[in-house]
């Protein structure tokens, strides 16, 4: 065994998986996981823990995998994470725990994400569940949103003994885990639903089809329904558009709508009550993980798909693994390209997109080199569908219906990063509702911090 090289993980063949919605990565089996775990040198000053937003005892759980005690490994992970089977699949480990791994300085970092996924999947297959609270505190806490921030906050509060109810606007719990991330990256029934069941097994109640700000307000929850504290983890579901002519043409989608209809409403099925159009030639404008998800979904529905991004590959914000998988499957990358107008026929349907070539100039405030237009490089890309994946912002419904809850200029709720405390007494917030669109694990870290803040508030600490 070469300790400098990680144990490779099995995947579906690219040509096969481009035609189905089954999970791409097949994960480790027990022998592979134990072999990969044996590469860990169990650092005393473990930098990997510092790179994890929920501070999992990574060397501790990996040591148990190496010893073959997978149940104990799951117990260690569960002390810190409510959604290990999710995190093992969708966390950007390369820039977090694995990015800090000492092994990575002279070889491959330990496959921490794949090991976490193996442990969580093994626990699910063997009926192992996280441990609940030994005694109840007799206080009610409301959690708004059943995405990663809400589920994490609710799970941690339940473990502390609080009576927790999650209020979810959609008809199914899971937030971005069910509506945003495709089946081929994160299976819904096999993984997400089971993780939610684990949170419910701690005593958490979930009420769906409750739109806070319409069905009931935060003030009513606190003043009339007896909730002592509220956590807002409502995410950022309001899509942004580029603001070019023709954006209202038929056949232009936001990635948010496209993925929600495909993932949650199964609209890719022509027998669905809300079928979605299957484009023949599709452009996805954007370069993040959501753009890759939308592009790979459109590909599986039979389209030739182009990623249109105004910077170079080096600046793509998507995970390296997602870009690699997209390329393997046949997605075409039109980099250093910017749309200027969407063209349509007399009936208003998309026929193409005017674009201009770009080159990179001086760095902007984010540190990335600013793209500038190349004069005279305009061209038309023939298309029948365009998906805009330019980020999202929080829906202002909650903040606009809650007295004393302040937001910033982007409509994000103002909250303390350390404990989630907002400008309204007893109300805490975290995740995309505070930061704008970010990763699942950062939302979980915020939910965890807010649970601690709420406990300190309700305990009078």
């Amino acid at each position: 065994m070469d300790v400098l090289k990680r144990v490779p993980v099995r995947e579906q063949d690219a040509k096969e998986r481009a035609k189905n919605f089954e999970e791409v990565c097949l994960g480790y089996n027990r022998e592979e996981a134990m072999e990969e775990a044996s590469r860990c040198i169990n650092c005393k000053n473990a930098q990997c823990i510092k790179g994890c937003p929920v501070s999992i005892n990574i060397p501790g759980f990996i040591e148990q995998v190496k010893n073959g005690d997978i149940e104990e490994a799951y117990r260690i992970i569960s002390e810190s994470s409510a959604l290990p089977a999710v995190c093992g699949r969708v966390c950007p480990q390369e820039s977090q725990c694995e990015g800090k791994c000492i092994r990575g300085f002279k070889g491959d970092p330990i496959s921490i994400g794949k090991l976490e996924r193996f442990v969580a999947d093994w626990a699910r297959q063997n009926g192992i569940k996280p441990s609940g609270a030994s005694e109840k505190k007799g206080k009610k806490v409301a959690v708004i949103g059943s995405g990663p921030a809400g589920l994490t906050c609710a799970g941690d509060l339940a473990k502390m003994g609080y009576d927790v109810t999650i209020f979810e606007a959609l008809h199914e719990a899971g937030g971005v885990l069910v509506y945003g991330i495709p089946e081929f990256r994160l299976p819904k029934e096999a993984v997400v639903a089971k993780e939610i069941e684990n949170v419910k097994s701690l005593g958490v109640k979930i009420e769906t089809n409750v739109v806070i700000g319409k069905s009931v307000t935060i003030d009513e929850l606190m003043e009339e329904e007896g909730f002592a504290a509220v956590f807002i983890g409502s995410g950022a579901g309001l899509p942004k558009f580029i603001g070019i002519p023709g954006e209202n043409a038929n056949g232009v989608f936001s990635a948010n709508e496209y993925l929600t209809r495909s993932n949650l409403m199964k609209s890719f099925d022509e027998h669905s009550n809300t079928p979605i159009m299957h484009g023949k030639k599709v452009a996805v404008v954007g370069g993040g993980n959501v753009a890759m998800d939308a592009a790979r979904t459109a590909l599986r529905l039979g389209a030739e798909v182009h990623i249109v991004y105004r910077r170079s590959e080096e600046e793509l914000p998507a995970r390296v693994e997602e870009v690699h998988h997209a390329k393997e499957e046949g997605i075409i990358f039109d980099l250093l390209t910017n749309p200027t107008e969407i063209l349509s026929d007399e009936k208003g349907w998309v026929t193409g997109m005017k674009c201009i070539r770009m080159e990179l100039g001086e760095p902007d405030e984010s540190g990335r080199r600013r793209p500038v237009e190349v004069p005279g490089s305009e061209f038309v890309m023939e298309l029948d569908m365009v998906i805009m994946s330019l980020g999202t912002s929080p829906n202002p419904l909650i903040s606009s219906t809650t007295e004393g809850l302040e937001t910033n200029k982007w409509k994000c709720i103002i909250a303390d990063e350390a404990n989630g405390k907002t400008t309204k007494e007893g109300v805490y917030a975290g995740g995309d509702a505070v930061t704008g669109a970010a990763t699942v694990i950062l939302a979980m870290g915020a939910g965890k911090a807010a649970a601690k803040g709420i406990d300190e508030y309700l305990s009078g600490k």
Side-chain angles (χ1 to χ4, degrees), residues 286-288 309-318 359-372 390:
Y309 183 62
R310 65 191 186 132
R311 289 183 162 97
S312 71
E313 182 165 345
E314 204 173 298
E315 286 81 25
L316 279 168
E359 59 187 8
L360 295 179
E362 294 302 309
D364 61 15
E365 58 277 3
S366 72
R368 295 187 298 175
R369 290 171 65 195
R370 190 187 300 277
V372 292
L390 303 162

PDB file of all heavy atoms in Angstrom, residues 286-288 309-318 359-372 390:
ATOM      1  N   GLY A 286     -23.312  30.711 -15.694  1.00  0.00           N
ATOM      2  CA  GLY A 286     -22.798  30.679 -14.324  1.00  0.00           C
ATOM      3  C   GLY A 286     -21.755  29.588 -14.188  1.00  0.00           C
ATOM      4  O   GLY A 286     -21.629  28.720 -15.064  1.00  0.00           O
ATOM      5  N   GLY A 287     -21.005  29.598 -13.071  1.00  0.00           N
ATOM      6  CA  GLY A 287     -19.924  28.631 -12.921  1.00  0.00           C
ATOM      7  C   GLY A 287     -19.827  27.988 -11.557  1.00  0.00           C
ATOM      8  O   GLY A 287     -18.817  27.355 -11.237  1.00  0.00           O
ATOM      9  N   GLY A 288     -20.883  28.101 -10.748  1.00  0.00           N
ATOM     10  CA  GLY A 288     -20.857  27.506  -9.407  1.00  0.00           C
ATOM     11  C   GLY A 288     -21.395  26.079  -9.393  1.00  0.00           C
ATOM     12  O   GLY A 288     -21.725  25.495 -10.428  1.00  0.00           O
ATOM     13  N   TYR A 309     -19.515  30.967 -18.961  1.00  0.00           N
ATOM     14  CA  TYR A 309     -18.944  31.626 -17.770  1.00  0.00           C
ATOM     15  C   TYR A 309     -17.950  32.692 -18.206  1.00  0.00           C
ATOM     16  O   TYR A 309     -17.130  32.467 -19.090  1.00  0.00           O
ATOM     17  CB  TYR A 309     -18.266  30.572 -16.884  1.00  0.00           C
ATOM     18  CG  TYR A 309     -17.692  31.107 -15.602  1.00  0.00           C
ATOM     19  CD1 TYR A 309     -18.509  31.688 -14.638  1.00  0.00           C
ATOM     20  CD2 TYR A 309     -16.325  31.011 -15.338  1.00  0.00           C
ATOM     21  CE1 TYR A 309     -17.978  32.174 -13.446  1.00  0.00           C
ATOM     22  CE2 TYR A 309     -15.783  31.487 -14.146  1.00  0.00           C
ATOM     23  CZ  TYR A 309     -16.615  32.066 -13.207  1.00  0.00           C
ATOM     24  OH  TYR A 309     -16.100  32.551 -12.034  1.00  0.00           O
ATOM     25  N   ARG A 310     -18.009  33.843 -17.582  1.00  0.00           N
ATOM     26  CA  ARG A 310     -17.248  34.989 -18.090  1.00  0.00           C
ATOM     27  C   ARG A 310     -15.794  35.022 -17.654  1.00  0.00           C
ATOM     28  O   ARG A 310     -15.027  35.840 -18.135  1.00  0.00           O
ATOM     29  CB  ARG A 310     -17.943  36.293 -17.681  1.00  0.00           C
ATOM     30  CG  ARG A 310     -17.985  36.562 -16.206  1.00  0.00           C
ATOM     31  CD  ARG A 310     -18.913  37.705 -15.872  1.00  0.00           C
ATOM     32  NE  ARG A 310     -18.831  38.050 -14.460  1.00  0.00           N
ATOM     33  CZ  ARG A 310     -18.694  39.286 -14.001  1.00  0.00           C
ATOM     34  NH1 ARG A 310     -18.633  40.289 -14.837  1.00  0.00           N
ATOM     35  NH2 ARG A 310     -18.627  39.513 -12.710  1.00  0.00           N
ATOM     36  N   ARG A 311     -15.418  34.141 -16.730  1.00  0.00           N
ATOM     37  CA  ARG A 311     -14.010  34.048 -16.346  1.00  0.00           C
ATOM     38  C   ARG A 311     -13.395  32.746 -16.870  1.00  0.00           C
ATOM     39  O   ARG A 311     -14.040  32.006 -17.601  1.00  0.00           O
ATOM     40  CB  ARG A 311     -13.875  34.145 -14.826  1.00  0.00           C
ATOM     41  CG  ARG A 311     -14.156  35.536 -14.250  1.00  0.00           C
ATOM     42  CD  ARG A 311     -13.920  35.543 -12.748  1.00  0.00           C
ATOM     43  NE  ARG A 311     -13.765  36.885 -12.201  1.00  0.00           N
ATOM     44  CZ  ARG A 311     -14.722  37.584 -11.630  1.00  0.00           C
ATOM     45  NH1 ARG A 311     -15.950  37.082 -11.548  1.00  0.00           N
ATOM     46  NH2 ARG A 311     -14.484  38.784 -11.133  1.00  0.00           N
ATOM     47  N   SER A 312     -12.154  32.459 -16.466  1.00  0.00           N
ATOM     48  CA  SER A 312     -11.480  31.248 -16.943  1.00  0.00           C
ATOM     49  C   SER A 312     -11.767  30.071 -16.011  1.00  0.00           C
ATOM     50  O   SER A 312     -12.374  30.233 -14.949  1.00  0.00           O
ATOM     51  CB  SER A 312      -9.970  31.489 -17.024  1.00  0.00           C
ATOM     52  OG  SER A 312      -9.432  31.583 -15.718  1.00  0.00           O
ATOM     53  N   GLU A 313     -11.270  28.888 -16.360  1.00  0.00           N
ATOM     54  CA  GLU A 313     -11.515  27.695 -15.548  1.00  0.00           C
ATOM     55  C   GLU A 313     -10.933  27.842 -14.145  1.00  0.00           C
ATOM     56  O   GLU A 313     -11.495  27.338 -13.175  1.00  0.00           O
ATOM     57  CB  GLU A 313     -10.928  26.454 -16.229  1.00  0.00           C
ATOM     58  CG  GLU A 313     -11.200  25.185 -15.451  1.00  0.00           C
ATOM     59  CD  GLU A 313     -10.968  23.919 -16.249  1.00  0.00           C
ATOM     60  OE1 GLU A 313     -10.859  23.984 -17.489  1.00  0.00           O
ATOM     61  OE2 GLU A 313     -10.909  22.852 -15.622  1.00  0.00           O
ATOM     62  N   GLU A 314      -9.814  28.535 -14.041  1.00  0.00           N
ATOM     63  CA  GLU A 314      -9.163  28.723 -12.740  1.00  0.00           C
ATOM     64  C   GLU A 314     -10.083  29.447 -11.758  1.00  0.00           C
ATOM     65  O   GLU A 314     -10.020  29.229 -10.550  1.00  0.00           O
ATOM     66  CB  GLU A 314      -7.885  29.543 -12.940  1.00  0.00           C
ATOM     67  CG  GLU A 314      -6.855  29.336 -11.855  1.00  0.00           C
ATOM     68  CD  GLU A 314      -5.545  30.035 -12.200  1.00  0.00           C
ATOM     69  OE1 GLU A 314      -4.929  29.669 -13.216  1.00  0.00           O
ATOM     70  OE2 GLU A 314      -5.193  30.964 -11.468  1.00  0.00           O
ATOM     71  N   GLU A 315     -10.950  30.320 -12.274  1.00  0.00           N
ATOM     72  CA  GLU A 315     -11.846  31.099 -11.404  1.00  0.00           C
ATOM     73  C   GLU A 315     -13.197  30.442 -11.177  1.00  0.00           C
ATOM     74  O   GLU A 315     -14.037  31.000 -10.469  1.00  0.00           O
ATOM     75  CB  GLU A 315     -12.077  32.502 -11.996  1.00  0.00           C
ATOM     76  CG  GLU A 315     -10.903  33.461 -11.860  1.00  0.00           C
ATOM     77  CD  GLU A 315      -9.835  33.248 -12.919  1.00  0.00           C
ATOM     78  OE1 GLU A 315     -10.159  32.719 -14.006  1.00  0.00           O
ATOM     79  OE2 GLU A 315      -8.685  33.579 -12.677  1.00  0.00           O
ATOM     80  N   LEU A 316     -13.466  29.292 -11.799  1.00  0.00           N
ATOM     81  CA  LEU A 316     -14.770  28.637 -11.591  1.00  0.00           C
ATOM     82  C   LEU A 316     -14.993  28.409 -10.101  1.00  0.00           C
ATOM     83  O   LEU A 316     -14.159  27.787  -9.436  1.00  0.00           O
ATOM     84  CB  LEU A 316     -14.810  27.286 -12.308  1.00  0.00           C
ATOM     85  CG  LEU A 316     -15.113  27.283 -13.804  1.00  0.00           C
ATOM     86  CD1 LEU A 316     -14.826  25.905 -14.396  1.00  0.00           C
ATOM     87  CD2 LEU A 316     -16.551  27.682 -14.084  1.00  0.00           C
ATOM     88  N   PRO A 317     -16.117  28.881  -9.541  1.00  0.00           N
ATOM     89  CA  PRO A 317     -16.359  28.682  -8.110  1.00  0.00           C
ATOM     90  C   PRO A 317     -16.822  27.270  -7.749  1.00  0.00           C
ATOM     91  O   PRO A 317     -16.825  26.895  -6.575  1.00  0.00           O
ATOM     92  CB  PRO A 317     -17.449  29.709  -7.777  1.00  0.00           C
ATOM     93  CG  PRO A 317     -18.031  30.140  -9.068  1.00  0.00           C
ATOM     94  CD  PRO A 317     -17.068  29.806 -10.162  1.00  0.00           C
ATOM     95  N   ALA A 318     -17.209  26.469  -8.730  1.00  0.00           N
ATOM     96  CA  ALA A 318     -17.693  25.103  -8.448  1.00  0.00           C
ATOM     97  C   ALA A 318     -16.556  24.233  -7.919  1.00  0.00           C
ATOM     98  O   ALA A 318     -15.374  24.492  -8.177  1.00  0.00           O
ATOM     99  CB  ALA A 318     -18.278  24.485  -9.708  1.00  0.00           C
ATOM    100  N   GLU A 359     -11.641  38.734 -21.716  1.00  0.00           N
ATOM    101  CA  GLU A 359     -10.285  38.430 -21.283  1.00  0.00           C
ATOM    102  C   GLU A 359     -10.140  38.954 -19.861  1.00  0.00           C
ATOM    103  O   GLU A 359     -10.905  39.823 -19.423  1.00  0.00           O
ATOM    104  CB  GLU A 359      -9.246  39.055 -22.212  1.00  0.00           C
ATOM    105  CG  GLU A 359      -9.318  40.564 -22.338  1.00  0.00           C
ATOM    106  CD  GLU A 359      -8.362  41.091 -23.402  1.00  0.00           C
ATOM    107  OE1 GLU A 359      -7.770  40.280 -24.135  1.00  0.00           O
ATOM    108  OE2 GLU A 359      -8.216  42.330 -23.472  1.00  0.00           O
ATOM    109  N   LEU A 360      -9.167  38.411 -19.130  1.00  0.00           N
ATOM    110  CA  LEU A 360      -9.025  38.782 -17.723  1.00  0.00           C
ATOM    111  C   LEU A 360      -8.105  39.979 -17.560  1.00  0.00           C
ATOM    112  O   LEU A 360      -6.989  40.001 -18.084  1.00  0.00           O
ATOM    113  CB  LEU A 360      -8.498  37.588 -16.915  1.00  0.00           C
ATOM    114  CG  LEU A 360      -9.442  36.383 -16.844  1.00  0.00           C
ATOM    115  CD1 LEU A 360      -8.808  35.257 -16.047  1.00  0.00           C
ATOM    116  CD2 LEU A 360     -10.790  36.760 -16.259  1.00  0.00           C
ATOM    117  N   GLY A 361      -8.603  40.975 -16.802  1.00  0.00           N
ATOM    118  CA  GLY A 361      -7.833  42.172 -16.534  1.00  0.00           C
ATOM    119  C   GLY A 361      -7.278  42.163 -15.119  1.00  0.00           C
ATOM    120  O   GLY A 361      -6.862  41.121 -14.608  1.00  0.00           O
ATOM    121  N   GLU A 362      -7.312  43.306 -14.455  1.00  0.00           N
ATOM    122  CA  GLU A 362      -6.779  43.440 -13.095  1.00  0.00           C
ATOM    123  C   GLU A 362      -7.725  42.787 -12.076  1.00  0.00           C
ATOM    124  O   GLU A 362      -8.927  42.696 -12.311  1.00  0.00           O
ATOM    125  CB  GLU A 362      -6.612  44.928 -12.752  1.00  0.00           C
ATOM    126  CG  GLU A 362      -5.552  45.644 -13.579  1.00  0.00           C
ATOM    127  CD  GLU A 362      -4.181  45.011 -13.441  1.00  0.00           C
ATOM    128  OE1 GLU A 362      -3.746  44.805 -12.287  1.00  0.00           O
ATOM    129  OE2 GLU A 362      -3.559  44.683 -14.476  1.00  0.00           O
ATOM    130  N   PRO A 363      -7.193  42.340 -10.928  1.00  0.00           N
ATOM    131  CA  PRO A 363      -8.061  41.733  -9.900  1.00  0.00           C
ATOM    132  C   PRO A 363      -9.099  42.723  -9.365  1.00  0.00           C
ATOM    133  O   PRO A 363      -8.830  43.922  -9.261  1.00  0.00           O
ATOM    134  CB  PRO A 363      -7.073  41.346  -8.793  1.00  0.00           C
ATOM    135  CG  PRO A 363      -5.744  41.272  -9.465  1.00  0.00           C
ATOM    136  CD  PRO A 363      -5.776  42.295 -10.558  1.00  0.00           C
ATOM    137  N   ASP A 364     -10.314  42.200  -9.035  1.00  0.00           N
ATOM    138  CA  ASP A 364     -11.348  43.039  -8.426  1.00  0.00           C
ATOM    139  C   ASP A 364     -11.274  42.896  -6.906  1.00  0.00           C
ATOM    140  O   ASP A 364     -10.329  42.303  -6.370  1.00  0.00           O
ATOM    141  CB  ASP A 364     -12.740  42.694  -8.972  1.00  0.00           C
ATOM    142  CG  ASP A 364     -13.152  41.250  -8.677  1.00  0.00           C
ATOM    143  OD1 ASP A 364     -12.506  40.606  -7.815  1.00  0.00           O
ATOM    144  OD2 ASP A 364     -14.107  40.765  -9.306  1.00  0.00           O
ATOM    145  N   GLU A 365     -12.304  43.422  -6.187  1.00  0.00           N
ATOM    146  CA  GLU A 365     -12.272  43.399  -4.724  1.00  0.00           C
ATOM    147  C   GLU A 365     -12.281  41.982  -4.142  1.00  0.00           C
ATOM    148  O   GLU A 365     -11.882  41.763  -3.003  1.00  0.00           O
ATOM    149  CB  GLU A 365     -13.435  44.227  -4.134  1.00  0.00           C
ATOM    150  CG  GLU A 365     -14.834  43.810  -4.548  1.00  0.00           C
ATOM    151  CD  GLU A 365     -15.268  44.395  -5.903  1.00  0.00           C
ATOM    152  OE1 GLU A 365     -14.465  45.082  -6.553  1.00  0.00           O
ATOM    153  OE2 GLU A 365     -16.417  44.125  -6.291  1.00  0.00           O
ATOM    154  N   SER A 366     -12.744  41.003  -4.921  1.00  0.00           N
ATOM    155  CA  SER A 366     -12.753  39.609  -4.446  1.00  0.00           C
ATOM    156  C   SER A 366     -11.400  38.933  -4.643  1.00  0.00           C
ATOM    157  O   SER A 366     -11.194  37.805  -4.200  1.00  0.00           O
ATOM    158  CB  SER A 366     -13.836  38.802  -5.176  1.00  0.00           C
ATOM    159  OG  SER A 366     -13.456  38.570  -6.527  1.00  0.00           O
ATOM    160  N   GLY A 367     -10.491  39.620  -5.341  1.00  0.00           N
ATOM    161  CA  GLY A 367      -9.170  39.032  -5.598  1.00  0.00           C
ATOM    162  C   GLY A 367      -9.084  38.305  -6.926  1.00  0.00           C
ATOM    163  O   GLY A 367      -8.000  37.927  -7.369  1.00  0.00           O
ATOM    164  N   ARG A 368     -10.257  38.083  -7.550  1.00  0.00           N
ATOM    165  CA  ARG A 368     -10.247  37.431  -8.861  1.00  0.00           C
ATOM    166  C   ARG A 368     -10.048  38.476  -9.957  1.00  0.00           C
ATOM    167  O   ARG A 368     -10.523  39.605  -9.847  1.00  0.00           O
ATOM    168  CB  ARG A 368     -11.574  36.683  -9.097  1.00  0.00           C
ATOM    169  CG  ARG A 368     -11.776  35.528  -8.150  1.00  0.00           C
ATOM    170  CD  ARG A 368     -13.003  34.711  -8.501  1.00  0.00           C
ATOM    171  NE  ARG A 368     -14.227  35.470  -8.428  1.00  0.00           N
ATOM    172  CZ  ARG A 368     -15.427  34.999  -8.781  1.00  0.00           C
ATOM    173  NH1 ARG A 368     -15.526  33.781  -9.243  1.00  0.00           N
ATOM    174  NH2 ARG A 368     -16.503  35.739  -8.671  1.00  0.00           N
ATOM    175  N   ARG A 369      -9.366  38.102 -11.014  1.00  0.00           N
ATOM    176  CA  ARG A 369      -9.123  39.045 -12.103  1.00  0.00           C
ATOM    177  C   ARG A 369     -10.449  39.391 -12.788  1.00  0.00           C
ATOM    178  O   ARG A 369     -11.244  38.518 -13.112  1.00  0.00           O
ATOM    179  CB  ARG A 369      -8.133  38.452 -13.105  1.00  0.00           C
ATOM    180  CG  ARG A 369      -6.717  38.355 -12.529  1.00  0.00           C
ATOM    181  CD  ARG A 369      -5.787  37.569 -13.425  1.00  0.00           C
ATOM    182  NE  ARG A 369      -5.576  38.266 -14.697  1.00  0.00           N
ATOM    183  CZ  ARG A 369      -5.047  37.675 -15.779  1.00  0.00           C
ATOM    184  NH1 ARG A 369      -4.716  36.390 -15.736  1.00  0.00           N
ATOM    185  NH2 ARG A 369      -4.876  38.351 -16.890  1.00  0.00           N
ATOM    186  N   ARG A 370     -10.639  40.674 -13.016  1.00  0.00           N
ATOM    187  CA  ARG A 370     -11.893  41.172 -13.562  1.00  0.00           C
ATOM    188  C   ARG A 370     -11.987  40.877 -15.060  1.00  0.00           C
ATOM    189  O   ARG A 370     -11.058  41.184 -15.824  1.00  0.00           O
ATOM    190  CB  ARG A 370     -11.975  42.679 -13.333  1.00  0.00           C
ATOM    191  CG  ARG A 370     -13.339  43.288 -13.635  1.00  0.00           C
ATOM    192  CD  ARG A 370     -13.275  44.809 -13.541  1.00  0.00           C
ATOM    193  NE  ARG A 370     -12.866  45.270 -12.218  1.00  0.00           N
ATOM    194  CZ  ARG A 370     -13.692  45.406 -11.202  1.00  0.00           C
ATOM    195  NH1 ARG A 370     -14.982  45.126 -11.342  1.00  0.00           N
ATOM    196  NH2 ARG A 370     -13.261  45.838 -10.039  1.00  0.00           N
ATOM    197  N   PRO A 371     -13.102  40.281 -15.517  1.00  0.00           N
ATOM    198  CA  PRO A 371     -13.249  40.032 -16.954  1.00  0.00           C
ATOM    199  C   PRO A 371     -13.607  41.318 -17.705  1.00  0.00           C
ATOM    200  O   PRO A 371     -14.445  42.092 -17.246  1.00  0.00           O
ATOM    201  CB  PRO A 371     -14.387  39.020 -17.031  1.00  0.00           C
ATOM    202  CG  PRO A 371     -15.147  39.180 -15.770  1.00  0.00           C
ATOM    203  CD  PRO A 371     -14.229  39.764 -14.745  1.00  0.00           C
ATOM    204  N   VAL A 372     -12.948  41.547 -18.844  1.00  0.00           N
ATOM    205  CA  VAL A 372     -13.257  42.708 -19.689  1.00  0.00           C
ATOM    206  C   VAL A 372     -13.549  42.225 -21.107  1.00  0.00           C
ATOM    207  O   VAL A 372     -13.003  41.215 -21.567  1.00  0.00           O
ATOM    208  CB  VAL A 372     -12.101  43.738 -19.698  1.00  0.00           C
ATOM    209  CG1 VAL A 372     -11.956  44.391 -18.344  1.00  0.00           C
ATOM    210  CG2 VAL A 372     -10.781  43.088 -20.108  1.00  0.00           C
ATOM    211  N   LEU A 390     -26.972  32.448 -11.362  1.00  0.00           N
ATOM    212  CA  LEU A 390     -26.160  33.596 -10.959  1.00  0.00           C
ATOM    213  C   LEU A 390     -26.270  33.887  -9.467  1.00  0.00           C
ATOM    214  O   LEU A 390     -26.022  34.998  -9.018  1.00  0.00           O
ATOM    215  CB  LEU A 390     -26.610  34.830 -11.767  1.00  0.00           C
ATOM    216  CG  LEU A 390     -26.525  34.636 -13.285  1.00  0.00           C
ATOM    217  CD1 LEU A 390     -27.359  35.665 -14.004  1.00  0.00           C
ATOM    218  CD2 LEU A 390     -25.088  34.682 -13.753  1.00  0.00           C
TER     219      LEU A 390
END
